Amino acid sequence: MNVGKAQNIVQKWITENASLAKNYKGAYFSGSVLDWAEDIEVPDTSDIDVMVVIDTEEEAPPKLGKFVYKEVLIEVTYMSSKQLASVQAVLGNYHLASSF
């Protein structure tokens, strides 16, 4: 399956599942998928990383982890919107900065 189709499937999962979470603010792709062209094949051993942002003063829910949805291996991590509150907060965290 090519990257573009896999991303569309993941977006469908986000719409049908993640977006229904309490205090859902948004979601974005992270990791190696950001470096791939839409028309290349997703390597069989790769997953599509998704960060789901929750508006909370507390810690975000635990990482959902990896699962297969419509033939796409997805890895979902929840994060608090506080982690994206400022440019300095994002750029000061190499895990976050590489996604933007």
Side-chain angles (χ1 to χ4, degrees):
M1 174 180 312
N2 71 34
V3 171
K5 182 175 180 181
Q7 286 178 316
N8 287 337
I9 290 170
V10 173
Q11 288 172 340
K12 183 175 172 112
W13 178 85
I14 291 167
T15 300
E16 293 177 352
N17 297 277
S19 68
L20 304 178
K22 182 180 177 186
N23 299 326
Y24 170 82
K25 295 300 281 184
Y28 65 92
F29 292 111
S30 179
S32 56
V33 71
L34 298 175
D35 297 326
W36 298 336
E38 288 188 5
D39 59 342
I40 69 165
E41 293 295 305
V42 175
D44 291 337
T45 57
S46 293
D47 59 18
I48 306 291
D49 297 303
V50 177
M51 304 298 288
V52 176
V53 183
I54 304 295
D55 187 19
T56 180
E57 292 298 317
E58 303 166 7
E59 284 194 34
K63 183 176 185 172
L64 187 56
K66 295 183 183 194
F67 58 93
V68 176
Y69 176 79
K70 298 189 179 190
E71 300 182 35
V72 177
L73 181 60
I74 305 172
E75 183 168 10
V76 175
T77 301
Y78 290 100
M79 63 183 298
S80 168
S81 59
K82 292 188 307 185
Q83 293 175 270
L84 302 174
S86 72
V87 171
Q88 293 80 9
V90 172
L91 295 179
N93 182 323
Y94 73 94
H95 291 291
L96 297 177
S98 63
S99 295
F100 299 97

